[in-house]
Structure formats: C-alpha cells, structure tokens
Amino acid sequence: MPSLAVTEICRLLSDPVRRGSPDLAAEFCAAIADDELRVIEVTPHDYRRMSELLAAYASLRLQAVDACVIALAERFDLRQVATLDQRDYLVVAPRHLPKGQRLTILPGD
C-alpha cells in the first residue's frame, strides 16, 4: 500500500459510522510494524505520474491516494489492487495494461 494511504485507512478503520474503532486502526498499524503489510514510499516519479492522472481525470475528481495506487500499480506492473472505492478504477486506464483493460479490484464481488 502507498504510504499516502496509511492515514486514510486509519481514519476509515476508526470511524464508528463505518463500524470502526480505534482498536482496528491500532491493529492495522501493528500489522505494518510487524511486516504483515508492506508500505511503499512514493517516489518523485510516482508524484509526476499522480500529477498526470489528477490532471487527465480532473472531471472524475480523482483523489490523490487513488492516483497514487494507480501510479504504484504501473511501477510494479500490478494487475490487481485492493480498494473500497471502485468508481475511479473502472474508468482510469493504467499505462501498463493493454488498451481497454482496467485494474482488477479486490475484494471481488
């Protein structure tokens, strides 16, 4: 997961409206500390690609974290990403996939 996503994930996990709690956010951080989850630092190249994606898909109101996930998927040649926000990923065309293909969203239906 991109380092930019950690704060957003912690916020979602601790949100009582989403049936979250501070304990869930703490467990998530512990999983990172225990190397159960890998956090990827964003490079200047990733930020450049994020800038391109944010500009190209401005009408979608693409969020920076989603643009970052797509940039990292391109860099690491990933075909699948985990997200709760499917909308943008059904539209954005990653550079590393053949024309017309999109990233596969996990968890699946």
Side-chain angles (χ1 to χ4, degrees), residues 22-95:
D23 289 340
L24 288 174
E27 288 176 31
F28 172 71
C29 290
I32 293 169
D34 294 339
D35 286 330
E36 295 172 22
L37 297 171
R38 183 173 171 208
V39 176
I40 307 295
E41 293 303 326
V42 183
T43 67
H45 175 79
D46 298 324
Y47 280 109
R48 174 63 55 207
R49 181 61 178 139
M50 288 168 58
S51 172
E52 294 167 1
L53 289 165
L54 291 169
Y57 294 96
S59 64
L60 284 180
R61 295 184 315 193
L62 183 67
Q63 298 295 307
V65 171
D66 296 322
C68 186
V69 169
I70 294 164
L72 291 178
E74 292 175 351
R75 176 160 51 115
F76 288 100
D77 194 29
L78 302 175
R79 305 277 192 268
Q80 301 175 327
V81 295
T83 183
L84 297 175
D85 182 14
Q86 296 185 12
R87 179 187 62 109
D88 297 336
Y89 296 91
L90 299 173
V91 176
V92 176
R95 286 182 178 164

